[in-house]
Amino acid sequence: MSKINAAITGVQGYVPDYILTNKELETMVDTNDEWITTRTGIRERHILKGEEKGTSILGIEAVRGLLEKTNTDPAEIELVICATVTPDMLFPDTANIIANALDIKNAYCFDLGAACSGFLYALTTGAQFISSGMHKKVIVVGADKMSSIVDYTDRTTCILFGDGAGAVLLEPSDEFGHIDAVLKSDGSGEPYLHQKAGGSRHPATVETINAGDHFIYQNGRPVFKAAVSGMSDVVKQVMKRNNLQNDDIKWLVPHQANHRIIETVARMADFPMERVMVNIHKYGNTTAATIPLCLWDYETQLKKGDNLVLTAFGGGFTWGATYLKWAYDPS
Ligand code: ACO
């Protein structure tokens, strides 16, 4: 019996309307457009404004668009996985909130963490349910409202992040789809990238709030170094394991954290930048949403049978690379 692959049969992204430019950030912290652009490649990011609006709002819009463009009846969806580090609340899971808003009544739903690698972890998880023959239609959504955990007085982090969501539909295919993944994690990375409070170790108190412990903490240099070596290493591993030469890969799809990281990974893995997806300049780092937002932006350039390698690195540390064959031509 031939292996059942999980093919991406549709992709949709969503970013909120408000655009936070480098110029506006200059009025908030001691920074400038030139520093941000040369050190990170980011020019603007989208921010979800308004009271009581959580990550689910972003995920709902992405999944709504996905259902519409793939002509999918919500009742057919059997599983929804939402990768996020900024859930609406600790429970219920944001995947449940997204499904409920869209009348996805016959699915079970759960969230998955893994920070910036969340989408890759969720994609591989969702793909297993298709490959096992258990499900026929699975939605994987990466969504983060990073502005909810960013300290807009900290110039070292507030310039980096944006809000957004991207969703894919997974369906069985014997020819295309998710072929292989190398996923890694290393808990010793915790000191360099984390959110100190709000969990069970340090529940919210007046002290944790006053100390700013509910915001992202990042020591950028060690994260940069680990991201570069981690991603280039797993990209090479997944290619070697599948006997792929660089020319066999149409697109490298890296997590969008810093343009310099993307360029260095591409150079170390021997990919020309013309075959590397980049949209960090307009969205910044949207954590679990960067990779599906790339696929959405480049969808019209993707052709049936194209080989793609997706790679990410994030808090944890977590990282990985996924090899897939694109399943459809542009419409
Ligand atoms: N504007 C102006 N100056 C700044 C700014 C700013 N926004 N931010 C920092 N600086 C200053 C620093 O204070 C420092 O000044 P000093 O030399 O006087 O001390 C100087 O610029 C250099 O700072 P570095 O931190 O060394 O700058 P670096 O070149 O490393 O860039 C950055 C910082 C962009 C954060 C980089 O380290 C990076 O991209 N790290 C990895 C990010 C990442 O991949 N994260 C993983 C995913 S996130 C997730 O999982 C949620």
mmCIF file with all atom_site columns, all heavy atoms in Angstrom, residues 31 35 39-40 116 155-156 159 193 218 220-221 223-224 257-258 260-261 285 314-315, ligand 1:
data_model
loop_
_atom_site.group_PDB
_atom_site.id
_atom_site.type_symbol
_atom_site.label_atom_id
_atom_site.label_alt_id
_atom_site.label_comp_id
_atom_site.label_asym_id
_atom_site.label_entity_id
_atom_site.label_seq_id
_atom_site.pdbx_PDB_ins_code
_atom_site.Cartn_x
_atom_site.Cartn_y
_atom_site.Cartn_z
_atom_site.occupancy
_atom_site.B_iso_or_equiv
_atom_site.pdbx_formal_charge
_atom_site.auth_seq_id
_atom_site.auth_comp_id
_atom_site.auth_asym_id
_atom_site.auth_atom_id
_atom_site.pdbx_PDB_model_num
ATOM   1   N N   . THR A 1 31  ? 15.216 54.653 19.137 1.00 0.00 ? 31  THR A N   1
ATOM   2   C CA  . THR A 1 31  ? 15.645 53.823 18.016 1.00 0.00 ? 31  THR A CA  1
ATOM   3   C C   . THR A 1 31  ? 15.519 54.635 16.737 1.00 0.00 ? 31  THR A C   1
ATOM   4   O O   . THR A 1 31  ? 15.106 55.803 16.773 1.00 0.00 ? 31  THR A O   1
ATOM   5   C CB  . THR A 1 31  ? 14.792 52.533 17.933 1.00 0.00 ? 31  THR A CB  1
ATOM   6   O OG1 . THR A 1 31  ? 15.403 51.642 16.999 1.00 0.00 ? 31  THR A OG1 1
ATOM   7   C CG2 . THR A 1 31  ? 13.356 52.794 17.495 1.00 0.00 ? 31  THR A CG2 1
ATOM   8   N N   . TRP A 1 35  ? 18.642 51.817 12.015 1.00 0.00 ? 35  TRP A N   1
ATOM   9   C CA  . TRP A 1 35  ? 19.106 50.716 12.880 1.00 0.00 ? 35  TRP A CA  1
ATOM   10  C C   . TRP A 1 35  ? 18.208 49.495 12.672 1.00 0.00 ? 35  TRP A C   1
ATOM   11  O O   . TRP A 1 35  ? 18.688 48.376 12.470 1.00 0.00 ? 35  TRP A O   1
ATOM   12  C CB  . TRP A 1 35  ? 19.083 51.136 14.361 1.00 0.00 ? 35  TRP A CB  1
ATOM   13  C CG  . TRP A 1 35  ? 19.836 50.167 15.259 1.00 0.00 ? 35  TRP A CG  1
ATOM   14  C CD1 . TRP A 1 35  ? 21.112 50.301 15.700 1.00 0.00 ? 35  TRP A CD1 1
ATOM   15  C CD2 . TRP A 1 35  ? 19.365 48.914 15.788 1.00 0.00 ? 35  TRP A CD2 1
ATOM   16  N NE1 . TRP A 1 35  ? 21.481 49.220 16.464 1.00 0.00 ? 35  TRP A NE1 1
ATOM   17  C CE2 . TRP A 1 35  ? 20.420 48.347 16.538 1.00 0.00 ? 35  TRP A CE2 1
ATOM   18  C CE3 . TRP A 1 35  ? 18.168 48.202 15.701 1.00 0.00 ? 35  TRP A CE3 1
ATOM   19  C CZ2 . TRP A 1 35  ? 20.316 47.122 17.204 1.00 0.00 ? 35  TRP A CZ2 1
ATOM   20  C CZ3 . TRP A 1 35  ? 18.060 46.970 16.357 1.00 0.00 ? 35  TRP A CZ3 1
ATOM   21  C CH2 . TRP A 1 35  ? 19.125 46.448 17.094 1.00 0.00 ? 35  TRP A CH2 1
ATOM   22  N N   . ARG A 1 39  ? 19.660 46.134 10.951 1.00 0.00 ? 39  ARG A N   1
ATOM   23  C CA  . ARG A 1 39  ? 19.889 45.022 11.886 1.00 0.00 ? 39  ARG A CA  1
ATOM   24  C C   . ARG A 1 39  ? 18.864 43.904 11.761 1.00 0.00 ? 39  ARG A C   1
ATOM   25  O O   . ARG A 1 39  ? 19.125 42.778 12.169 1.00 0.00 ? 39  ARG A O   1
ATOM   26  C CB  . ARG A 1 39  ? 19.843 45.511 13.345 1.00 0.00 ? 39  ARG A CB  1
ATOM   27  C CG  . ARG A 1 39  ? 20.931 46.468 13.733 1.00 0.00 ? 39  ARG A CG  1
ATOM   28  C CD  . ARG A 1 39  ? 22.285 45.769 13.792 1.00 0.00 ? 39  ARG A CD  1
ATOM   29  N NE  . ARG A 1 39  ? 23.329 46.699 14.167 1.00 0.00 ? 39  ARG A NE  1
ATOM   30  C CZ  . ARG A 1 39  ? 24.059 46.597 15.271 1.00 0.00 ? 39  ARG A CZ  1
ATOM   31  N NH1 . ARG A 1 39  ? 23.877 45.594 16.099 1.00 0.00 ? 39  ARG A NH1 1
ATOM   32  N NH2 . ARG A 1 39  ? 24.976 47.486 15.529 1.00 0.00 ? 39  ARG A NH2 1
ATOM   33  N N   . THR A 1 40  ? 17.668 44.229 11.247 1.00 0.00 ? 40  THR A N   1
ATOM   34  C CA  . THR A 1 40  ? 16.607 43.197 11.245 1.00 0.00 ? 40  THR A CA  1
ATOM   35  C C   . THR A 1 40  ? 15.913 43.018 9.896  1.00 0.00 ? 40  THR A C   1
ATOM   36  O O   . THR A 1 40  ? 15.287 41.986 9.663  1.00 0.00 ? 40  THR A O   1
ATOM   37  C CB  . THR A 1 40  ? 15.496 43.538 12.269 1.00 0.00 ? 40  THR A CB  1
ATOM   38  O OG1 . THR A 1 40  ? 14.726 44.660 11.774 1.00 0.00 ? 40  THR A OG1 1
ATOM   39  C CG2 . THR A 1 40  ? 16.055 43.879 13.635 1.00 0.00 ? 40  THR A CG2 1
ATOM   40  N N   . CYS A 1 116 ? 8.241  30.038 18.068 1.00 0.00 ? 116 CYS A N   1
ATOM   41  C CA  . CYS A 1 116 ? 8.362  30.336 16.628 1.00 0.00 ? 116 CYS A CA  1
ATOM   42  C C   . CYS A 1 116 ? 8.410  29.073 15.775 1.00 0.00 ? 116 CYS A C   1
ATOM   43  O O   . CYS A 1 116 ? 8.246  29.156 14.558 1.00 0.00 ? 116 CYS A O   1
ATOM   44  C CB  . CYS A 1 116 ? 9.587  31.198 16.365 1.00 0.00 ? 116 CYS A CB  1
ATOM   45  S SG  . CYS A 1 116 ? 9.410  32.824 17.101 1.00 0.00 ? 116 CYS A SG  1
ATOM   46  N N   . ARG A 1 155 ? 13.397 48.784 23.646 1.00 0.00 ? 155 ARG A N   1
ATOM   47  C CA  . ARG A 1 155 ? 13.745 48.917 22.221 1.00 0.00 ? 155 ARG A CA  1
ATOM   48  C C   . ARG A 1 155 ? 14.364 47.658 21.635 1.00 0.00 ? 155 ARG A C   1
ATOM   49  O O   . ARG A 1 155 ? 14.418 47.490 20.424 1.00 0.00 ? 155 ARG A O   1
ATOM   50  C CB  . ARG A 1 155 ? 14.700 50.097 22.021 1.00 0.00 ? 155 ARG A CB  1
ATOM   51  C CG  . ARG A 1 155 ? 16.085 49.887 22.597 1.00 0.00 ? 155 ARG A CG  1
ATOM   52  C CD  . ARG A 1 155 ? 16.985 51.048 22.251 1.00 0.00 ? 155 ARG A CD  1
ATOM   53  N NE  . ARG A 1 155 ? 18.339 50.837 22.757 1.00 0.00 ? 155 ARG A NE  1
ATOM   54  C CZ  . ARG A 1 155 ? 19.361 51.610 22.485 1.00 0.00 ? 155 ARG A CZ  1
ATOM   55  N NH1 . ARG A 1 155 ? 19.194 52.674 21.735 1.00 0.00 ? 155 ARG A NH1 1
ATOM   56  N NH2 . ARG A 1 155 ? 20.560 51.348 22.966 1.00 0.00 ? 155 ARG A NH2 1
ATOM   57  N N   . THR A 1 156 ? 14.873 46.770 22.511 1.00 0.00 ? 156 THR A N   1
ATOM   58  C CA  . THR A 1 156 ? 15.534 45.579 21.964 1.00 0.00 ? 156 THR A CA  1
ATOM   59  C C   . THR A 1 156 ? 14.534 44.521 21.483 1.00 0.00 ? 156 THR A C   1
ATOM   60  O O   . THR A 1 156 ? 14.902 43.644 20.716 1.00 0.00 ? 156 THR A O   1
ATOM   61  C CB  . THR A 1 156 ? 16.500 44.930 22.986 1.00 0.00 ? 156 THR A CB  1
ATOM   62  O OG1 . THR A 1 156 ? 15.726 44.370 24.049 1.00 0.00 ? 156 THR A OG1 1
ATOM   63  C CG2 . THR A 1 156 ? 17.484 45.936 23.543 1.00 0.00 ? 156 THR A CG2 1
ATOM   64  N N   . ILE A 1 159 ? 10.732 46.338 18.523 1.00 0.00 ? 159 ILE A N   1
ATOM   65  C CA  . ILE A 1 159 ? 10.873 46.571 17.076 1.00 0.00 ? 159 ILE A CA  1
ATOM   66  C C   . ILE A 1 159 ? 10.683 45.299 16.264 1.00 0.00 ? 159 ILE A C   1
ATOM   67  O O   . ILE A 1 159 ? 10.510 45.349 15.050 1.00 0.00 ? 159 ILE A O   1
ATOM   68  C CB  . ILE A 1 159 ? 12.272 47.147 16.777 1.00 0.00 ? 159 ILE A CB  1
ATOM   69  C CG1 . ILE A 1 159 ? 13.330 46.170 17.335 1.00 0.00 ? 159 ILE A CG1 1
ATOM   70  C CG2 . ILE A 1 159 ? 12.444 48.532 17.380 1.00 0.00 ? 159 ILE A CG2 1
ATOM   71  C CD1 . ILE A 1 159 ? 14.615 46.196 16.583 1.00 0.00 ? 159 ILE A CD1 1
ATOM   72  N N   . LEU A 1 193 ? 15.342 33.196 26.182 1.00 0.00 ? 193 LEU A N   1
ATOM   73  C CA  . LEU A 1 193 ? 14.107 33.616 25.506 1.00 0.00 ? 193 LEU A CA  1
ATOM   74  C C   . LEU A 1 193 ? 12.910 33.018 26.246 1.00 0.00 ? 193 LEU A C   1
ATOM   75  O O   . LEU A 1 193 ? 12.709 31.801 26.208 1.00 0.00 ? 193 LEU A O   1
ATOM   76  C CB  . LEU A 1 193 ? 14.164 33.110 24.049 1.00 0.00 ? 193 LEU A CB  1
ATOM   77  C CG  . LEU A 1 193 ? 13.026 33.470 23.109 1.00 0.00 ? 193 LEU A CG  1
ATOM   78  C CD1 . LEU A 1 193 ? 12.786 34.966 23.070 1.00 0.00 ? 193 LEU A CD1 1
ATOM   79  C CD2 . LEU A 1 193 ? 13.338 32.956 21.700 1.00 0.00 ? 193 LEU A CD2 1
ATOM   80  N N   . GLN A 1 218 ? 14.218 38.555 25.989 1.00 0.00 ? 218 GLN A N   1
ATOM   81  C CA  . GLN A 1 218 ? 15.140 37.923 25.034 1.00 0.00 ? 218 GLN A CA  1
ATOM   82  C C   . GLN A 1 218 ? 16.543 38.489 25.163 1.00 0.00 ? 218 GLN A C   1
ATOM   83  O O   . GLN A 1 218 ? 16.716 39.703 25.230 1.00 0.00 ? 218 GLN A O   1
ATOM   84  C CB  . GLN A 1 218 ? 14.653 38.127 23.590 1.00 0.00 ? 218 GLN A CB  1
ATOM   85  C CG  . GLN A 1 218 ? 15.650 37.581 22.557 1.00 0.00 ? 218 GLN A CG  1
ATOM   86  C CD  . GLN A 1 218 ? 15.132 37.548 21.137 1.00 0.00 ? 218 GLN A CD  1
ATOM   87  O OE1 . GLN A 1 218 ? 14.720 36.497 20.654 1.00 0.00 ? 218 GLN A OE1 1
ATOM   88  N NE2 . GLN A 1 218 ? 15.139 38.695 20.471 1.00 0.00 ? 218 GLN A NE2 1
ATOM   89  N N   . GLY A 1 220 ? 19.260 38.667 22.768 1.00 0.00 ? 220 GLY A N   1
ATOM   90  C CA  . GLY A 1 220 ? 19.257 38.488 21.310 1.00 0.00 ? 220 GLY A CA  1
ATOM   91  C C   . GLY A 1 220 ? 20.452 37.772 20.717 1.00 0.00 ? 220 GLY A C   1
ATOM   92  O O   . GLY A 1 220 ? 20.306 36.933 19.830 1.00 0.00 ? 220 GLY A O   1
ATOM   93  N N   . ARG A 1 221 ? 21.673 38.087 21.211 1.00 0.00 ? 221 ARG A N   1
ATOM   94  C CA  . ARG A 1 221 ? 22.889 37.525 20.599 1.00 0.00 ? 221 ARG A CA  1
ATOM   95  C C   . ARG A 1 221 ? 22.932 35.993 20.624 1.00 0.00 ? 221 ARG A C   1
ATOM   96  O O   . ARG A 1 221 ? 23.109 35.364 19.581 1.00 0.00 ? 221 ARG A O   1
ATOM   97  C CB  . ARG A 1 221 ? 24.140 38.081 21.286 1.00 0.00 ? 221 ARG A CB  1
ATOM   98  C CG  . ARG A 1 221 ? 24.485 39.489 20.855 1.00 0.00 ? 221 ARG A CG  1
ATOM   99  C CD  . ARG A 1 221 ? 25.431 39.465 19.640 1.00 0.00 ? 221 ARG A CD  1
ATOM   100 N NE  . ARG A 1 221 ? 25.586 40.790 19.099 1.00 0.00 ? 221 ARG A NE  1
ATOM   101 C CZ  . ARG A 1 221 ? 26.606 41.600 19.385 1.00 0.00 ? 221 ARG A CZ  1
ATOM   102 N NH1 . ARG A 1 221 ? 27.533 41.226 20.227 1.00 0.00 ? 221 ARG A NH1 1
ATOM   103 N NH2 . ARG A 1 221 ? 26.671 42.795 18.828 1.00 0.00 ? 221 ARG A NH2 1
ATOM   104 N N   . VAL A 1 223 ? 20.525 33.938 21.025 1.00 0.00 ? 223 VAL A N   1
ATOM   105 C CA  . VAL A 1 223 ? 19.402 33.397 20.250 1.00 0.00 ? 223 VAL A CA  1
ATOM   106 C C   . VAL A 1 223 ? 19.750 33.445 18.763 1.00 0.00 ? 223 VAL A C   1
ATOM   107 O O   . VAL A 1 223 ? 19.523 32.487 18.022 1.00 0.00 ? 223 VAL A O   1
ATOM   108 C CB  . VAL A 1 223 ? 18.092 34.180 20.532 1.00 0.00 ? 223 VAL A CB  1
ATOM   109 C CG1 . VAL A 1 223 ? 16.955 33.640 19.677 1.00 0.00 ? 223 VAL A CG1 1
ATOM   110 C CG2 . VAL A 1 223 ? 17.720 34.094 22.004 1.00 0.00 ? 223 VAL A CG2 1
ATOM   111 N N   . PHE A 1 224 ? 20.345 34.547 18.342 1.00 0.00 ? 224 PHE A N   1
ATOM   112 C CA  . PHE A 1 224 ? 20.761 34.706 16.937 1.00 0.00 ? 224 PHE A CA  1
ATOM   113 C C   . PHE A 1 224 ? 21.699 33.567 16.532 1.00 0.00 ? 224 PHE A C   1
ATOM   114 O O   . PHE A 1 224 ? 21.492 32.901 15.511 1.00 0.00 ? 224 PHE A O   1
ATOM   115 C CB  . PHE A 1 224 ? 21.468 36.057 16.797 1.00 0.00 ? 224 PHE A CB  1
ATOM   116 C CG  . PHE A 1 224 ? 21.753 36.483 15.388 1.00 0.00 ? 224 PHE A CG  1
ATOM   117 C CD1 . PHE A 1 224 ? 20.996 37.479 14.786 1.00 0.00 ? 224 PHE A CD1 1
ATOM   118 C CD2 . PHE A 1 224 ? 22.779 35.908 14.643 1.00 0.00 ? 224 PHE A CD2 1
ATOM   119 C CE1 . PHE A 1 224 ? 21.259 37.897 13.477 1.00 0.00 ? 224 PHE A CE1 1
ATOM   120 C CE2 . PHE A 1 224 ? 23.053 36.312 13.348 1.00 0.00 ? 224 PHE A CE2 1
ATOM   121 C CZ  . PHE A 1 224 ? 22.289 37.313 12.765 1.00 0.00 ? 224 PHE A CZ  1
ATOM   122 N N   . ALA A 1 257 ? 12.477 35.955 11.533 1.00 0.00 ? 257 ALA A N   1
ATOM   123 C CA  . ALA A 1 257 ? 12.804 36.616 12.809 1.00 0.00 ? 257 ALA A CA  1
ATOM   124 C C   . ALA A 1 257 ? 13.743 37.794 12.591 1.00 0.00 ? 257 ALA A C   1
ATOM   125 O O   . ALA A 1 257 ? 13.677 38.787 13.311 1.00 0.00 ? 257 ALA A O   1
ATOM   126 C CB  . ALA A 1 257 ? 13.450 35.630 13.774 1.00 0.00 ? 257 ALA A CB  1
ATOM   127 N N   . ASN A 1 258 ? 14.620 37.638 11.596 1.00 0.00 ? 258 ASN A N   1
ATOM   128 C CA  . ASN A 1 258 ? 15.626 38.665 11.332 1.00 0.00 ? 258 ASN A CA  1
ATOM   129 C C   . ASN A 1 258 ? 16.186 38.398 9.934  1.00 0.00 ? 258 ASN A C   1
ATOM   130 O O   . ASN A 1 258 ? 16.573 37.261 9.631  1.00 0.00 ? 258 ASN A O   1
ATOM   131 C CB  . ASN A 1 258 ? 16.731 38.555 12.397 1.00 0.00 ? 258 ASN A CB  1
ATOM   132 C CG  . ASN A 1 258 ? 17.780 39.649 12.256 1.00 0.00 ? 258 ASN A CG  1
ATOM   133 O OD1 . ASN A 1 258 ? 18.180 39.999 11.145 1.00 0.00 ? 258 ASN A OD1 1
ATOM   134 N ND2 . ASN A 1 258 ? 18.203 40.187 13.373 1.00 0.00 ? 258 ASN A ND2 1
ATOM   135 N N   . ARG A 1 260 ? 18.943 39.132 8.687  1.00 0.00 ? 260 ARG A N   1
ATOM   136 C CA  . ARG A 1 260 ? 20.342 38.663 8.717  1.00 0.00 ? 260 ARG A CA  1
ATOM   137 C C   . ARG A 1 260 ? 20.418 37.173 9.040  1.00 0.00 ? 260 ARG A C   1
ATOM   138 O O   . ARG A 1 260 ? 21.284 36.463 8.546  1.00 0.00 ? 260 ARG A O   1
ATOM   139 C CB  . ARG A 1 260 ? 21.158 39.467 9.739  1.00 0.00 ? 260 ARG A CB  1
ATOM   140 C CG  . ARG A 1 260 ? 21.454 40.902 9.268  1.00 0.00 ? 260 ARG A CG  1
ATOM   141 C CD  . ARG A 1 260 ? 22.351 41.603 10.272 1.00 0.00 ? 260 ARG A CD  1
ATOM   142 N NE  . ARG A 1 260 ? 21.714 41.707 11.568 1.00 0.00 ? 260 ARG A NE  1
ATOM   143 C CZ  . ARG A 1 260 ? 22.333 41.621 12.746 1.00 0.00 ? 260 ARG A CZ  1
ATOM   144 N NH1 . ARG A 1 260 ? 23.618 41.421 12.799 1.00 0.00 ? 260 ARG A NH1 1
ATOM   145 N NH2 . ARG A 1 260 ? 21.657 41.748 13.868 1.00 0.00 ? 260 ARG A NH2 1
ATOM   146 N N   . ILE A 1 261 ? 19.485 36.698 9.898  1.00 0.00 ? 261 ILE A N   1
ATOM   147 C CA  . ILE A 1 261 ? 19.448 35.258 10.189 1.00 0.00 ? 261 ILE A CA  1
ATOM   148 C C   . ILE A 1 261 ? 19.064 34.505 8.911  1.00 0.00 ? 261 ILE A C   1
ATOM   149 O O   . ILE A 1 261 ? 19.682 33.495 8.552  1.00 0.00 ? 261 ILE A O   1
ATOM   150 C CB  . ILE A 1 261 ? 18.427 34.941 11.321 1.00 0.00 ? 261 ILE A CB  1
ATOM   151 C CG1 . ILE A 1 261 ? 18.873 35.566 12.640 1.00 0.00 ? 261 ILE A CG1 1
ATOM   152 C CG2 . ILE A 1 261 ? 18.243 33.425 11.467 1.00 0.00 ? 261 ILE A CG2 1
ATOM   153 C CD1 . ILE A 1 261 ? 17.910 35.342 13.803 1.00 0.00 ? 261 ILE A CD1 1
ATOM   154 N N   . ASN A 1 285 ? 8.298  39.759 13.032 1.00 0.00 ? 285 ASN A N   1
ATOM   155 C CA  . ASN A 1 285 ? 8.230  38.372 13.503 1.00 0.00 ? 285 ASN A CA  1
ATOM   156 C C   . ASN A 1 285 ? 6.843  38.127 14.109 1.00 0.00 ? 285 ASN A C   1
ATOM   157 O O   . ASN A 1 285 ? 6.534  38.646 15.177 1.00 0.00 ? 285 ASN A O   1
ATOM   158 C CB  . ASN A 1 285 ? 9.339  38.150 14.548 1.00 0.00 ? 285 ASN A CB  1
ATOM   159 C CG  . ASN A 1 285 ? 9.367  36.720 15.068 1.00 0.00 ? 285 ASN A CG  1
ATOM   160 O OD1 . ASN A 1 285 ? 8.461  35.936 14.819 1.00 0.00 ? 285 ASN A OD1 1
ATOM   161 N ND2 . ASN A 1 285 ? 10.410 36.395 15.806 1.00 0.00 ? 285 ASN A ND2 1
ATOM   162 N N   . GLY A 1 314 ? 12.891 28.862 17.512 1.00 0.00 ? 314 GLY A N   1
ATOM   163 C CA  . GLY A 1 314 ? 12.213 29.739 18.465 1.00 0.00 ? 314 GLY A CA  1
ATOM   164 C C   . GLY A 1 314 ? 12.463 29.368 19.911 1.00 0.00 ? 314 GLY A C   1
ATOM   165 O O   . GLY A 1 314 ? 13.297 28.507 20.222 1.00 0.00 ? 314 GLY A O   1
ATOM   166 N N   . GLY A 1 315 ? 11.717 30.025 20.774 1.00 0.00 ? 315 GLY A N   1
ATOM   167 C CA  . GLY A 1 315 ? 11.841 29.839 22.224 1.00 0.00 ? 315 GLY A CA  1
ATOM   168 C C   . GLY A 1 315 ? 11.741 28.369 22.587 1.00 0.00 ? 315 GLY A C   1
ATOM   169 O O   . GLY A 1 315 ? 11.027 27.600 21.965 1.00 0.00 ? 315 GLY A O   1
HETATM 170 N N1  . ACO B 2 .   ? 17.533 50.729 18.268 1.00 0.00 ? 1   ACO B N1  1
HETATM 171 C C1  . ACO B 2 .   ? 18.779 51.218 18.436 1.00 0.00 ? 1   ACO B C1  1
HETATM 172 N N2  . ACO B 2 .   ? 19.728 50.547 19.125 1.00 0.00 ? 1   ACO B N2  1
HETATM 173 C C2  . ACO B 2 .   ? 19.405 49.344 19.641 1.00 0.00 ? 1   ACO B C2  1
HETATM 174 C C3  . ACO B 2 .   ? 18.120 48.785 19.491 1.00 0.00 ? 1   ACO B C3  1
HETATM 175 C C4  . ACO B 2 .   ? 17.173 49.527 18.780 1.00 0.00 ? 1   ACO B C4  1
HETATM 176 N N3  . ACO B 2 .   ? 15.922 49.093 18.573 1.00 0.00 ? 1   ACO B N3  1
HETATM 177 N N4  . ACO B 2 .   ? 18.102 47.592 20.102 1.00 0.00 ? 1   ACO B N4  1
HETATM 178 C C5  . ACO B 2 .   ? 19.316 47.396 20.622 1.00 0.00 ? 1   ACO B C5  1
HETATM 179 N N5  . ACO B 2 .   ? 20.104 48.451 20.350 1.00 0.00 ? 1   ACO B N5  1
HETATM 180 C C6  . ACO B 2 .   ? 21.499 48.651 20.735 1.00 0.00 ? 1   ACO B C6  1
HETATM 181 C C7  . ACO B 2 .   ? 21.873 47.844 21.954 1.00 0.00 ? 1   ACO B C7  1
HETATM 182 O O1  . ACO B 2 .   ? 21.517 48.526 23.142 1.00 0.00 ? 1   ACO B O1  1
HETATM 183 C C8  . ACO B 2 .   ? 23.378 47.742 21.765 1.00 0.00 ? 1   ACO B C8  1
HETATM 184 O O2  . ACO B 2 .   ? 23.940 48.938 22.200 1.00 0.00 ? 1   ACO B O2  1
HETATM 185 P P1  . ACO B 2 .   ? 25.357 48.917 23.010 1.00 0.00 ? 1   ACO B P1  1
HETATM 186 O O3  . ACO B 2 .   ? 26.347 48.303 22.059 1.00 0.00 ? 1   ACO B O3  1
HETATM 187 O O4  . ACO B 2 .   ? 25.588 50.347 23.313 1.00 0.00 ? 1   ACO B O4  1
HETATM 188 O O5  . ACO B 2 .   ? 25.109 48.052 24.207 1.00 0.00 ? 1   ACO B O5  1
HETATM 189 C C9  . ACO B 2 .   ? 23.551 47.645 20.267 1.00 0.00 ? 1   ACO B C9  1
HETATM 190 O O6  . ACO B 2 .   ? 22.329 48.180 19.697 1.00 0.00 ? 1   ACO B O6  1
HETATM 191 C C10 . ACO B 2 .   ? 23.753 46.234 19.758 1.00 0.00 ? 1   ACO B C10 1
HETATM 192 O O7  . ACO B 2 .   ? 22.778 45.378 20.386 1.00 0.00 ? 1   ACO B O7  1
HETATM 193 P P2  . ACO B 2 .   ? 22.708 43.836 20.070 1.00 0.00 ? 1   ACO B P2  1
HETATM 194 O O8  . ACO B 2 .   ? 21.638 43.212 20.898 1.00 0.00 ? 1   ACO B O8  1
HETATM 195 O O9  . ACO B 2 .   ? 24.085 43.260 20.168 1.00 0.00 ? 1   ACO B O9  1
HETATM 196 O O10 . ACO B 2 .   ? 22.243 43.878 18.536 1.00 0.00 ? 1   ACO B O10 1
HETATM 197 P P3  . ACO B 2 .   ? 22.152 42.709 17.510 1.00 0.00 ? 1   ACO B P3  1
HETATM 198 O O11 . ACO B 2 .   ? 22.913 43.085 16.318 1.00 0.00 ? 1   ACO B O11 1
HETATM 199 O O12 . ACO B 2 .   ? 22.426 41.365 18.145 1.00 0.00 ? 1   ACO B O12 1
HETATM 200 O O13 . ACO B 2 .   ? 20.603 42.721 17.113 1.00 0.00 ? 1   ACO B O13 1
HETATM 201 C C11 . ACO B 2 .   ? 18.560 41.473 17.570 1.00 0.00 ? 1   ACO B C11 1
HETATM 202 C C12 . ACO B 2 .   ? 19.615 42.476 18.114 1.00 0.00 ? 1   ACO B C12 1
HETATM 203 C C13 . ACO B 2 .   ? 17.922 42.116 16.361 1.00 0.00 ? 1   ACO B C13 1
HETATM 204 C C14 . ACO B 2 .   ? 17.525 41.208 18.648 1.00 0.00 ? 1   ACO B C14 1
HETATM 205 C C15 . ACO B 2 .   ? 19.283 40.179 17.173 1.00 0.00 ? 1   ACO B C15 1
HETATM 206 O O14 . ACO B 2 .   ? 20.113 39.745 18.210 1.00 0.00 ? 1   ACO B O14 1
HETATM 207 C C16 . ACO B 2 .   ? 18.323 39.060 16.827 1.00 0.00 ? 1   ACO B C16 1
HETATM 208 O O15 . ACO B 2 .   ? 17.675 39.086 15.816 1.00 0.00 ? 1   ACO B O15 1
HETATM 209 N N6  . ACO B 2 .   ? 18.292 38.001 17.661 1.00 0.00 ? 1   ACO B N6  1
HETATM 210 C C17 . ACO B 2 .   ? 17.486 36.795 17.377 1.00 0.00 ? 1   ACO B C17 1
HETATM 211 C C18 . ACO B 2 .   ? 15.996 37.022 17.390 1.00 0.00 ? 1   ACO B C18 1
HETATM 212 C C19 . ACO B 2 .   ? 15.291 35.705 17.178 1.00 0.00 ? 1   ACO B C19 1
HETATM 213 O O16 . ACO B 2 .   ? 15.603 34.981 16.240 1.00 0.00 ? 1   ACO B O16 1
HETATM 214 N N7  . ACO B 2 .   ? 14.403 35.323 18.046 1.00 0.00 ? 1   ACO B N7  1
HETATM 215 C C20 . ACO B 2 .   ? 13.849 33.972 17.941 1.00 0.00 ? 1   ACO B C20 1
HETATM 216 C C21 . ACO B 2 .   ? 12.499 33.941 17.689 1.00 0.00 ? 1   ACO B C21 1
HETATM 217 S S1  . ACO B 2 .   ? 11.500 34.831 18.853 1.00 0.00 ? 1   ACO B S1  1
HETATM 218 C C22 . ACO B 2 .   ? 10.434 33.696 19.587 1.00 0.00 ? 1   ACO B C22 1
HETATM 219 O O17 . ACO B 2 .   ? 10.663 32.533 19.589 1.00 0.00 ? 1   ACO B O17 1
HETATM 220 C C23 . ACO B 2 .   ? 9.251  34.263 20.327 1.00 0.00 ? 1   ACO B C23 1
#
